[in-house]
Amino acid sequence: MRIIHAKDYADMSRKAANIISAQVILKPDCVLGLATGSTPIGAYEQLIKWYEKGDVDFAEVSTYNLDEYRGLGHDDPQSYHYFMNKNFFHGINIDLANTHVPDGANPDADAACAEYDRMVEAAGYPDLQLLGIGNNGHIGFNEPDSVFSKGTHCVDLTESTIQANSRLFESIDDVPRQAYTMGVQTIMRARSILVVANGPKKAQAVYDMCFGPVTPACPASILQLHTNCTVVADEEALALCH
């Protein structure tokens, strides 16, 4: 596990975007695993700027997002499908037919998750998987548990995750209570993993991910066992790692 120190959020975003753009330049038809949330937005904005300058070309790239709220259709402004279009895909030249997000509108959780696993496997798994990390150490929506999850599955979101995500909704009552998420085993199949983290609220989770015991109580800790994992985090998120 490589740890790259960034001065602040903007520096973290640039460094992460550098790693993602290098992957695309080296393998123009690569498969990217992508994340939502506020942390990666800066990296997406930087990649859009580089695309506009002609420095990186996404025409052959395909993407698979980690997760989606259960019960939200693609056009729902709170869906992750909508988030990705707004914050990234509409700013670059990617073929939207090559972008994939779990089907939150499918009420049949088993069918929706099995279909997404089939698609990710058929794509050969990501060349690079981008991850954020939750305050409780979750990756994707894989919450602290007694076991590491395997394939895509339906999860009940914890109160801490619902609280953290409520800032994006008009009311906490509007936050979905379940989500479809790639499993930890699926995430670990990626050939390289890039974790981004910023701010003091992530400091304990980042420390546990990098230096704590490998335990499903901190799902991100399993990344210690990945052969090609890079963490880019700002000074506040790395405060406990010195």
Side-chain angles (χ1 to χ4, degrees), residues 17 23 28 50 57 87 89 112 120 125 139 167 181 199 214 233-234 237:
Q23 173 65 71
W50 287 337
D57 180 2
N87 290 291
F89 298 150
V120 175
Y125 298 98
I139 47 177
R167 71 189 188 282
T181 183
V214 176
D234 71 358

Side-chain angles (χ1 to χ4, degrees), residues 81-100:
H81 187 275
Y82 189 97
F83 175 100
M84 291 305 302
N85 283 338
K86 175 185 175 185
N87 290 291
F88 191 32
F89 298 150
H90 284 173
I92 57 175
N93 65 329
I94 196 165
D95 182 349
L96 291 178
N98 292 333
T99 65
H100 308 85

Side-chain angles (χ1 to χ4, degrees), residues 29-91:
D29 62 345
C30 66
V31 177
L32 297 179
L34 298 180
T36 52
S38 55
T39 308
I41 288 177
Y44 293 151
E45 290 174 344
Q46 183 66 70
L47 289 166
I48 290 170
K49 290 176 184 175
W50 287 337
Y51 160 70
E52 290 172 343
K53 286 174 59 182
D55 292 339
V56 61
D57 180 2
F58 294 91
E60 298 179 61
V61 171
S62 59
T63 67
Y64 292 83
N65 263 73
L66 284 165
D67 42 31
E68 178 61 283
Y69 287 119
R70 185 181 189 185
L72 299 190
H74 285 350
D75 297 329
D76 190 302
Q78 300 294 354
S79 73
Y80 285 162
H81 187 275
Y82 189 97
F83 175 100
M84 291 305 302
N85 283 338
K86 175 185 175 185
N87 290 291
F88 191 32
F89 298 150
H90 284 173

Side-chain angles (χ1 to χ4, degrees), residues 12 22 25 39 44 49 118 138 147 153 161 178 190 199 218 222 239:
M12 179 209 75
I25 290 165
T39 308
Y44 293 151
K49 290 176 184 175
R118 186 196 64 74
H138 75 234
V147 294
H153 58 291
T161 297
Q178 291 183 311
C218 175
I222 199 169

